[in-house]
Every structure is written in structure tokens, then in C-alpha cells.
Amino acid sequence: MTRRLVVEADGGSRGNPGPAGYGALVRDAATGRVLAERAEYLGIASNNVAEYSGLVAGLRAALAIDPSATIEVRMDSQLVIRQMSGEWKIKHDDMRRLADEARALVDPATVTWTWVPRADNGAADRLANRAMDAKTAIVTDHDAPEASPSVPSSSAPSGSAPSGSAPSGSAPSGSAPSGSAPDPGTGRVPRPSGAGVRFDDETPVTVVLVRHGETAMTVARGYSGSSEPGPPLNEHGRAQARAAAALVHRVGRDLWGDIEYPSEVRASPMVRTQETAGIVAERLGLPVHTDDRVKEADFGQWQGLTAVQIEERWPGQLEPWHTRADVRPPDGESIVDVGERLESLYDELLRTSRGRTVVVVSHAVAIRAALGLAMGANPGSWSQLRVAPASLSIVRLFGDRRHEIAVAGAPSEGWS
């Protein structure tokens, strides 16, 4: 079968004309895996010239991977898409020159030209901005396997391909940084120092778990569950969320370099998580998707009460709720109930998001459940996990359920 490749390209100019650059990447259409990345600072140029330059670079990278592959180009520039598909004429000399260069590489009639919203072209945009920020060029080729029949092609539908990509100098998920030599005994690229021990090349899903920032209820130490939408973040909580966003932005860059840069943000529907997720997503250039499965436990009649108040009114029930995990508060949820929700999320991500990094903004009990499930720990021990406000915890999900936990931290406790 003919291989299918997707080229995502973008360009930008800070002034139009002004300092400009482009970004482009090539994905395997069946798996969504990033195979190559290209970016370059162009000096002073227009936005349209930068976009066309990204297209040409992306096409060159795709042809270098497989000159016989069928290609789909995805860009958020309607101008480039419609001109290259023959719908619009090209009047500008510089754009005509670059369009001719693209036509010399491929017959436009054999390429699928797809316009995508800007939010779905974030990976190419980030590459372009990195090139402009550093005034440099980026050339990264990832040693990616052929498309696997076990991964459905629907995981990367037209117009909605995963938008995360590994930055320059990093490698595909589950492998060592680019440039590492395969082990002569196994043929596999060694995993980074300190990574969980595995003896295969399975591609995981990475989940970055972020707890919301501080609220008035956090300060009061009340049980703040999912039965009420509030409270919002306080001023300190918003500062914590900004610090967490800065730390998430480093994932796949200068922290955990073998992990893909985040390509999706999900959040609990609570006000505090939506606010935190909004700050994180803005830093990443991504939208926020609400997911009820990651909301906090419903504390029922314990809602808003402190541990002392709960013990006074329901003596002897709070400790077994934490340590047995199957005890439910009046009209509320047990820790096991929360775990079932999170397990459903894990199952979905393993089906649809291999090789991607998904940020999940959630709550203390829900994140403990997510970590406990990943470790295969007894639910009665999950409450022993410390989940500070605005903290990060990283889970890497594998199909055999031998998941990996990466040590992260909390900006509010000294991380920067």
C-alpha cells in the first residue's frame, strides 16, 4: 500500500513585513507520529512568504522520507491552500516564485490541500515562533516506524491531526533523544536514564496531570467537590497557575526531552480547573476541552466542611473513606468511583492518542486516583499521594498496563 504523509506548515511575520520565520512538520497519516520537523528564521519578510516557505520546506521533508508517498498538506492559510489548489491566482512575485518551487517538487493535482483552523495548526506555529525567537534553523528527523495496523487511521482524521510535536533535539515518545545509537544486541534505541524499564518499543500516551491553583476553600481546608461549580482561584492561585503553565511549557523542551510537547488540554468543568486550564492552554497555544471524567469527587453532604466538622457529624466515617476507598459519603462518591472515571479516560487515550502528550487539569482526589491506577496500587493507599496546588504529575500509559510515572513537582513548592 502507498504510504500516506501529512505536511503541517505555517509561517509568521512580526510586522508584515518584519522578522519572519516558518515551521513545518511531517506526520505519518495512519499514526499521527511526527517524522520530521523543519523551521527557519527568514529575516525580514511578509507573512505570506513565510507561509509559502514553510510549505516548501514541509514538502521537501516529506519527499525525503518517501518520494512515492501520497501527501496531504494542512495549513491555516486559506490563501496558500486556495492558490496551490488552483482556486485563486498568484499575483505577488515572491509568492509565485515559492509556489513554482513547490510545484517543481510535487504535482499539485496529486496533493490533498486542506485548510484547518489555526488552533489545529499549533505544532507548525510553535516551530515557526521558536525559529523566530532564536533566529535560527531547526532540522530534526525522527526515527519513526512504519504505520502499525494496530493503530487505526481514524486517530488522525483530516483536519484534526494531533498538533503536538517533539522539539528539536528530542525523539519520538518512548525513545532516547535524537542521535542515540541503537543497542547492537536488540536494535532498539536505549531509553533515557531513569526511565521506567521496558523491553519493547511500544509508543505510550503521556498524560501531564495538573492540579488547579489555590482557592479560598484550599486555604480553609474544606472538602470542595464536584457538586458545586465554585470557588474560583484566588490571587495566589492564579499566580500558581501561571507558574504551572510555564513548567508545562517546558515539557518536551528542556524537561523530559523524550516526551512530545503537549498537543491537547482537558479540564474538569469546575470553575477553578477551567481557570487554571485557561492559563495553561494560553501558554501552549491550545484550546481547552472539558471532560467530566476528571472532575473532583462528589463529597455529597460533606461538601464545604473541614475534616474536623465531618468527624463531628459523621464520626468514624472519614478515615475509612480514605483508607478503604469504597466508602461513600452521604449522597457522594467513593474514591473507587472516581478511579472508574479515570480508568475510562485512560482506556480512551490508549485507543486514540498514542505518541501524544495530553494535559489534564484536575483535582487532588482525581489526580491521586489517576496516579494510583497507573501504579497499580490498592485504592486504599491512593490518599497517601501528595498533590499540592498547581502541581504537575506525569503518567505514561502503555497497552500492557505497565505504566510509567515521571517525577514532576509543584511550582508553589520551589519549582520554576
Side-chain angles (χ1 to χ4, degrees):
M1 293 179 63
T2 303
R3 191 174 191 183
R4 296 184 300 116
L5 299 176
V6 174
V7 172
E8 298 174 19
D10 199 9
S13 174
R14 297 169 178 173
N16 200 27
Y22 67 77
L25 60 143
V26 182
R27 296 184 188 275
D28 186 293
T31 66
R33 181 186 289 274
V34 176
L35 306 178
E37 294 167 301
R38 301 289 186 268
E40 186 175 2
Y41 175 65
L42 298 173
I44 304 301
S46 71
N47 187 66
N48 295 143
V49 165
E51 290 171 334
Y52 262 105
S53 298
L55 168 64
V56 171
L59 290 173
R60 289 187 184 278
L63 292 171
I65 292 168
D66 188 345
S68 64
T70 61
I71 296 174
E72 178 185 1
V73 171
R74 298 175 184 171
M75 299 180 68
D76 60 51
S77 170
Q78 290 201 44
L79 178 75
V80 175
I81 292 297
R82 294 198 176 192
Q83 286 179 340
M84 289 304 299
S85 62
E87 297 179 56
W88 292 356
K89 292 183 178 179
I90 306 174
K91 299 179 180 179
H92 192 281
D93 288 341
D94 286 340
M95 286 192 289
R96 186 181 299 112
R97 173 180 56 80
L98 288 164
D100 288 343
E101 191 173 344
R103 293 190 186 100
L105 294 170
V106 295
D107 179 356
T110 66
V111 175
T112 301
W113 302 95
T114 303
W115 175 83
V116 296
R118 184 176 181 182
D120 291 342
N121 203 32
D125 176 69
R126 283 191 293 273
L127 279 169
N129 278 289
R130 285 176 56 206
M132 285 186 278
D133 290 343
K135 292 182 171 57
T136 190
I138 298 168
V139 177
T140 308
D141 293 302
H142 301 296
D143 183 19
E146 296 288 336
S148 169
S150 64
V151 181
S153 60
S154 59
S155 64
S158 176
S160 61
S163 57
S165 66
S168 177
S170 69
S173 296
S175 65
S178 181
S180 296
D183 184 289
T186 66
R188 300 190 186 104
V189 176
R191 289 166 59 76
S193 175
V197 177
R198 293 195 66 85
F199 300 94
D200 57 36
D201 294 321
E202 183 180 350
T203 300
V205 182
T206 301
V207 182
V208 179
L209 299 159
V210 181
R211 187 185 171 191
H212 62 81
E214 184 181 274
T215 71
M217 194 70 78
T218 313
V219 176
R221 298 184 182 279
Y223 277 64
S224 181
S226 59
S227 60
E228 295 180 1
L233 301 177
N234 59 25
E235 184 176 351
H236 182 51
R238 287 188 289 274
Q240 290 176 322
R242 289 191 293 272
L247 187 54
V248 173
H249 179 57
R250 293 173 61 188
V251 171
R253 294 162 65 89
D254 63 334
L255 290 175
W256 305 287
D258 63 310
I259 295 176
E260 294 280 346
Y261 188 83
S263 61
E264 183 179 356
V265 178
R266 299 195 188 197
S268 153
M270 306 296 99
V271 173
R272 54 198 179 275
T273 41
Q274 289 287 313
E275 288 181 339
T276 302
I279 293 169
V280 172
E282 182 178 12
R283 184 64 184 267
L284 301 178
L286 296 170
V288 177
H289 301 286
T290 300
D291 194 322
D292 281 346
R293 291 172 295 186
V294 302
K295 66 185 179 182
E296 183 57 300
D298 186 340
F299 296 121
Q301 295 181 34
W302 294 356
Q303 172 64 29
L305 302 179
T306 65
V308 172
Q309 292 169 327
I310 293 170
E311 185 61 31
E312 287 175 349
R313 302 184 195 184
W314 291 272
Q317 292 192 35
L318 183 57
E319 182 178 353
W321 182 82
H322 284 284
T323 59
R324 277 183 42 193
D326 59 351
V327 174
R328 293 189 176 98
D331 303 321
E333 286 184 302
S334 70
I335 289 176
V336 171
D337 293 333
V338 179
E340 289 176 355
R341 289 197 262 112
L342 270 297
E343 190 164 25
S344 169
L345 173 68
Y346 281 0
D347 289 343
E348 179 206 322
L349 293 177
L350 281 167
R351 289 193 308 270
T352 65
S353 301
R354 296 296 185 101
R356 299 177 61 199
T357 294
V358 179
V359 178
V360 173
V361 183
S362 188
H363 309 261
V365 174
I367 291 174
R368 285 174 183 145
L371 292 170
L373 284 168
M375 293 186 293
N378 186 299
S381 68
W382 295 353
S383 293
Q384 296 174 251
L385 295 167
R386 179 170 181 168
V387 183
S391 62
L392 270 65
S393 306
I394 298 179
V395 172
R396 310 202 78 196
L397 305 176
F398 293 85
D400 61 5
R401 299 304 193 263
R402 293 178 55 247
H403 305 316
E404 178 181 290
I405 309 294
V407 177
S412 58
E413 295 188 340
W415 284 66
S416 61

